[in-house]
Amino acid sequence: MRKAIRIAVLVVLGLLLLPYLLTPLYRTGHPVSTLMIWRKLSGAPMSRQWIDFAAISPVLPRTVIASEDAKFCSHHGVDWDSLRDVIDDAEDGEVTRGGSTITQQVAKNLFLWQGRSYVRKALELPLAMWIDAILSKRRILEIYLNIAEWGPGGQFGAETGARYAFGRSAANLSHREAALMASILPNPVKRSARKPGPGVRRLAGTYMARARAAELRSCWPEKRGS
C-alpha cells in the first residue's frame, strides 16, 4: 500500500513538474494546445496553420493586447491588480469578469484544461509567471496567436482564423479585420468575425480605438520583422 502511495505521489509530482520542464523547449517550434490534441484524438474537426510572428500583420497583436491584456508588456505573467478586482467582484456577489492575462491563457491552453476551476487557477498562476520568466513577450504572444481558437469548427491560430473569416492571410489583415478577430476570442463558437452581429461590431470599434492608442514599444520595436 505504501509503495502504491509513493508511486502515485511521484506520478502526480511528475505531471505537475512536466510543464515547467517543457516550457524552455517552447522557445522554438510550433506548440499545440491541449484542446487541439483533444479534438484530434476525439475525431473532432481541427485545423491550424502556423504563422511566424514576423509575418503577422502588426495590427493583430496590437489589437489583441489592447482587448485582452492591456498590461501585457509590464506585468510578469499575472496582472495582480486585475485579479484582485475579480476577487472583490466575486466577494460582492457581482458577475466576475475575465481576469486572465495572455500569459495565463497560454499556460492554460498549452498545459491545463478548459473550464473554470480553482484547482486549475492555482496551477495556472505560478506556471504563467514561469512562462513569463523563460520566454520573451514576443514569443508568448506568437504562441498565443497560433493556439487560440478562432472559429466554430476547430479553426485554431490566427492564420487559419483569418482565412476562415476573411479569405486572406493574417499577414494582410486590416485594422477592422484584426478588431473583429479580437472581438470573438472569448467565444468563437457563438461570436463570428465572418458574419459579425451588432455586438461584435460594437466591440470591434472599441478595440480599434484602443489599438490605435496602444503603446507596445516596451515589448519590442513597433515594426514588422523586428
Side-chain angles (χ1 to χ4, degrees):
M1 177 65 71
R2 290 182 178 179
K3 183 177 180 181
I5 292 174
R6 284 199 297 270
I7 292 174
V9 170
L10 289 174
V11 169
V12 171
L13 288 175
L15 291 174
L16 291 175
L17 289 174
L18 185 60
Y20 293 87
L21 299 176
L22 289 176
T23 297
L25 303 180
Y26 289 160
R27 290 191 179 104
T28 59
H30 300 166
V32 296
S33 69
T34 53
L35 183 56
M36 292 167 67
I37 294 171
W38 172 251
R39 290 185 68 94
K40 199 74 171 178
L41 292 176
S42 65
M46 195 284 289
S47 58
R48 195 275 297 272
Q49 182 179 345
W50 182 277
I51 181 170
D52 290 338
F53 189 87
I56 299 173
S57 171
V59 298
L60 182 61
R62 196 158 60 231
T63 306
V64 167
I65 288 178
S67 63
E68 293 276 291
D69 185 2
K71 296 181 181 178
F72 176 73
C73 293
S74 59
H75 66 60
H76 298 290
V78 178
D79 182 352
W80 294 107
D81 291 335
S82 179
L83 187 59
R84 278 192 290 269
D85 289 342
V86 170
I87 294 172
D88 289 343
D89 287 348
E91 290 176 347
D92 293 338
E94 298 177 13
V95 177
T96 57
R97 306 178 304 275
S100 294
T101 64
I102 286 173
T103 315
Q104 286 175 249
Q105 293 179 63
V106 167
K108 177 191 71 176
N109 290 340
L110 282 182
F111 302 118
L112 302 174
W113 60 94
Q114 305 298 310
R116 292 192 175 189
S117 164
Y118 288 115
V119 173
R120 196 210 72 202
K121 187 64 69 173
L123 297 173
E124 179 186 294
L125 294 176
L127 184 53
M129 291 187 286
W130 174 250
I131 290 172
D132 185 84
I134 297 299
L135 304 180
S136 69
K137 293 286 188 181
R138 175 171 166 149
R139 178 57 175 170
I140 291 169
L141 191 54
E142 179 178 53
I143 292 174
Y144 178 70
L145 293 173
N146 277 284
I147 64 175
E149 190 175 7
W150 249 307
Q155 290 88 4
F156 289 86
E159 181 69 5
T160 303
R163 290 188 181 277
Y164 170 76
F166 310 116
R168 67 174 69 194
S169 170
N172 302 314
L173 291 173
S174 67
H175 284 275
R176 180 178 179 276
E177 289 166 342
L180 286 170
M181 288 186 67
S183 299
I184 69 166
L185 276 174
N187 195 333
V189 175
K190 292 185 177 179
R191 299 182 183 184
S192 175
R194 189 175 189 173
K195 297 179 179 178
V200 170
R201 291 197 296 269
R202 281 195 299 270
L203 272 179
T206 299
Y207 293 160
M208 284 177 65
R210 288 183 188 176
R212 288 195 170 105
E215 291 288 345
L216 305 186
R217 286 172 294 181
S218 58
C219 286
W220 53 80
E222 189 71 22
K223 62 181 181 180
R224 184 178 299 191
S226 59

